[in-house]
Amino acid sequence: MQQGNNGFKSGFISIIGRPNVGKSTFLNRVVGQKIAIMSDKPQTTRNKVQGVVTTNSSQMVFIDTPGINEPRHKLGDFMLRVAKNTFREVDVLLFVASADDRIGKQDRFVLDMLKGIDVPVFLVLNKIDQVHPDNLPKIIEGYRNEFDFKEAIPISALQGNNVENLLAKITEYLPEGPQYYPADQITDHPERFIISELIREKALHLTREEIPHSIAVVIEKIAPDSENKDMIRVQATIMVERDSQKGIVIGKKGVLLKEIGSRARKDIENLLGSKVYLELWVKVQKDWRNKAVHLRDFGFRDDEY
Ligand SMILES: Nc1nc2c(ncn2[C@@H]2O[C@H](COP(=O)(O)OP(=O)(O)OP(=O)(O)O)[C@@H](O)[C@H]2O)c(=O)[nH]1
Ligand SMILES: [Mg+2]
C-alpha cells in the first residue's frame, strides 16, 4: 500500500442531513455501484455505510449516515447516535440538503449540532434537477445565512451533475495520507449486510407508509446450491412487528412477497455476479424496534460506534 509522503491525499468524509435529501443516492453515485439502499421514504438508511473512491492521487472514504431526526423510539435514538458519532475524526462534513425543499426545523436541528465543530462543513445542495438554475444563488444564500459553510456546491446525485466538481473540491481539503483500502474495494460492508439491505429496499418500495419502520431483514444462510454449483442460495427472513403487517408483506396469494423476492434477486445477482435462488420468509417479532436485544440481533451494533 501507498504511504502518505508522496503527495497522495486521503481522508474520511461524512454525509449528513435530514432524511430523504439524497445522501445514499450520492454515495452510490460516487462509488458507481449500489451499496446503500435508497427510497422515497424518510429514514431509509439505518446504519452507517462506507464507500471508497480511489484515484491515482487520492482516496476518499465516504460515510453515509441515517437521516437525522429528533428520535421518537429506540431505533431513532440509535440512528441519531450513529450519525453524530461520525462527526468526530472526519476531514470533511457534507451537509446535504434538497434544493426543492425549504430550510426547515429538521435542517436546523442538524446544523445546530454542527455549530462549534472544527471540521470544514460543505453545503451540498442536491436535487438541482428539480429547480430552475436561476433560483440556486438565492437558495444557497438562505443556507449560508444559517451556517458558515466552507463551500456550497449544487449537485444532482440522481443525474450526476457537478458531482466531479464536488469531489475535486473535497480533495483540496484532505490531508496527505495513506491509501487505507485497496483501489478496487468500494465498501467496507460485508455482502451479507448489503443483501439484507437490498431485500429491505424492495419491501420498502412495495409496501405502504405503515410498514417501513417495522421491517428488518435477517439473512439466515448464503451458500452454493447443493445441486447446481453456479447458483447461490440465499435464505432470508423479513421481520415485522404485527400479524397484520405479515399479511401485507405477503400479499394476496403471496404475490407481494413474490415480487419483493424477484426484484431483490436481480439486485443480489448483480452484486454477487452469479445466479441466485432467493428463499424469503416472513416472521412476526412484536415491538422489535423498542427492544435493544432485538436491535442487536438484526445487526444494529451500538458497541461499534
Ligand atoms: N430528483 C432528484 N431526486 C433525488 C436526487 N437524489 C436523490 N433523489 C431521490 O430522493 C429520495 C431519497 O433518496 P435517498 O438517497 O434514499 O435519501 P437519504 O438522504 O439517504 O434518506 P435517508 O436514508 O432516509 O436519510 C429517493 O427517491 C431518490 O431517488 C436528485 O439529485 N434528484
Ligand atoms: Mg440513506
Side-chain angles (χ1 to χ4, degrees):
M1 286 217 188
Q2 213 156 346
Q3 286 308 310
N5 52 9
N6 51 1
F8 194 85
K9 289 177 137 195
S10 63
F12 292 81
I13 302 106
S14 190
I15 310 166
I16 58 172
R18 65 175 177 75
N20 225 22
V21 291
K23 299 179 294 299
S24 299
T25 307
F26 171 73
L27 179 74
N28 291 333
R29 161 70 56 188
V30 295
V31 302
Q33 203 182 314
K34 187 159 162 187
I35 56 171
I37 66 167
M38 307 165 279
S39 87
D40 58 0
K41 309 229 167 49
Q43 301 208 286
T44 299
T45 305
R46 285 179 183 164
N47 262 296
K48 66 171 191 179
V49 180
Q50 274 184 202
V52 188
V53 178
T54 311
T55 69
N56 287 335
S57 56
S58 70
Q59 182 165 74
M60 293 172 257
V61 183
F62 289 91
I63 304 162
D64 184 19
T65 65
I68 298 175
N69 244 343
E70 287 171 270
R72 281 193 308 260
H73 44 64
K74 275 218 174 73
L75 178 60
D77 209 38
F78 170 82
M79 287 160 66
L80 177 61
R81 216 158 56 233
V82 170
K84 271 176 96 165
N85 282 344
T86 68
F87 295 1
R88 295 185 306 222
E89 296 173 19
V90 295
D91 300 285
V92 176
L93 274 169
L94 302 181
F95 171 81
V96 183
S98 179
D100 67 350
D101 216 347
R102 292 161 178 278
I103 306 177
K105 216 177 107 204
Q106 288 177 303
D107 295 298
R108 295 200 174 93
F109 181 72
V110 183
L111 289 173
D112 276 347
M113 292 195 291
L114 299 179
K115 291 198 170 126
I117 68 162
D118 252 354
V119 182
V121 181
F122 288 19
L123 169 68
V124 175
L125 191 67
N126 189 30
K127 308 199 189 183
I128 56 168
D129 53 285
Q130 296 297 97
V131 298
H132 195 280
D134 289 351
N135 297 335
L136 290 176
K138 202 155 177 123
I139 303 174
I140 289 174
E141 191 193 316
Y143 279 95
R144 284 212 187 267
N145 289 337
E146 301 278 335
F147 190 88
D148 186 19
F149 294 103
K150 281 275 186 288
E151 305 284 346
I153 302 181
I155 65 161
S156 167
L158 199 64
Q159 301 183 346
N161 310 10
N162 216 28
V163 170
E164 286 303 319
N165 270 335
L166 171 56
L167 295 183
K169 218 13 134 196
I170 292 169
T171 314
E172 289 178 21
Y173 284 77
L174 296 182
E176 284 197 7
Q179 186 180 309
Y180 297 101
Y181 296 98
D184 60 355
Q185 184 170 343
I186 60 159
T187 179
D188 69 331
H189 259 300
E191 278 168 354
R192 202 178 183 87
F193 173 79
I194 300 178
I195 291 172
S196 74
E197 286 286 272
L198 290 171
I199 297 168
R200 193 164 68 84
E201 179 184 66
K202 304 312 167 201
L204 283 184
H205 286 178
L206 290 165
T207 56
R208 287 183 192 284
E209 288 299 322
E210 70 272 24
I211 297 292
H213 285 289
S214 309
I215 290 179
V217 176
V218 179
I219 304 295
E220 319 278 358
K221 197 174 165 189
I222 304 174
D225 188 74
S226 52
E227 274 153 35
N228 181 355
K229 293 280 178 251
D230 297 329
M231 170 97 89
I232 293 176
R233 249 188 134 79
V234 176
Q235 272 174 25
T237 305
I238 300 175
M239 314 292 299
V240 293
E241 285 189 311
R242 288 193 292 279
D243 289 324
S244 59
Q245 295 169 336
K246 182 175 172 178
I248 293 172
V249 171
I250 293 174
K252 263 204 187 111
K253 294 188 179 154
V255 256
L256 198 69
L257 187 62
K258 211 166 164 189
E259 185 62 23
I260 293 171
S262 82
R263 291 192 192 186
R265 181 177 47 77
K266 287 192 192 111
D267 273 9
I268 300 168
E269 285 180 341
N270 275 336
L271 178 79
L272 301 180
S274 85
K275 285 262 163 234
V276 166
Y277 181 84
L278 175 62
E279 210 176 306
L280 279 182
W281 301 88
V282 183
K283 241 191 227 168
V284 179
Q285 180 87 65
K286 294 210 162 48
D287 282 340
W288 69 262
R289 271 185 294 174
N290 281 318
K291 291 178 184 157
V293 52
H294 291 141
L295 289 177
R296 269 199 303 280
D297 284 352
F298 298 149
F300 300 102
R301 301 248 325 264
D302 39 6
D303 51 339
E304 253 177 40
Y305 301 103

